[in-house]
């Protein structure tokens, strides 16, 4: 229940931010739900789905403005090549942080 409430809080706060005004809120809600369900048993396929949901502009990278939740919180750690964006391989590093 806490995760659902947290997910909804993330969606509400994100929809009020100027940087995500043009983002599809259903994708954000789906990403928040998926993100809250990730655990150490999660799969690369789940991370791939999360990547697709977060990549709002479909440029094959997650920018800091597209990141939410633990992806945003750990953005600099996940961004191993320091290019200010996350590719799918870098986002997969989230699995290691969940262990």
């Amino acid at each position: 229940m806490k995760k659902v409430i947290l997910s909804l809080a993330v969606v509400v706060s994100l929809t009020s931010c100027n940087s995500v005004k043009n983002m599809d809120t259903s994708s954000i809600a789906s990403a928040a739900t998926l993100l809250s369900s990730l655990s150490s048993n999660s799969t690369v396929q789940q991370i791939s789905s999360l990547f697709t949901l977060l990549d709002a502009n479909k440029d094959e990278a997650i920018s800091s403005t597209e990141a939410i939740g633990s992806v945003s919180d750990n953005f600099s750690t996940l961004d191993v090549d320091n290019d200010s964006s996350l590719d799918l391989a870098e986002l997969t590093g989230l699995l290691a942080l969940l262990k």
Side-chain angles (χ1 to χ4, degrees):
M1 184 67 177
K2 283 183 181 179
K3 287 185 176 184
V4 172
I5 293 170
L6 180 61
S7 296
L8 291 174
V10 167
V11 170
V12 168
S13 62
L14 284 175
T15 56
S16 66
C17 295
N18 287 333
S19 61
V20 293
K21 286 280 188 199
N22 297 324
M23 291 177 70
D24 178 9
T25 55
S26 65
S27 291
I28 296 170
S30 296
T33 301
L34 179 55
L35 188 57
S36 68
S37 72
L38 294 179
S39 70
S40 58
N41 296 324
S42 296
T43 65
V44 173
Q45 179 59 41
Q46 288 170 303
I47 296 293
S48 179
S49 295
L50 178 63
F51 184 89
T52 300
L53 290 168
L54 292 176
D55 186 16
N57 62 0
K58 306 302 179 208
D59 67 348
E60 298 299 317
I62 306 300
S63 66
S64 60
T65 59
E66 293 171 315
I68 63 170
S70 58
V71 175
S72 179
D73 295 342
N74 296 290
F75 194 89
S76 61
T77 301
L78 295 169
D79 185 17
V80 294
D81 62 4
N82 296 313
D83 68 350
S84 299
S85 66
L86 303 177
D87 60 25
L88 181 57
E90 288 172 318
L91 187 61
T92 304
L94 187 61
L95 291 174
L97 297 176
L98 295 171
K99 293 182 182 188

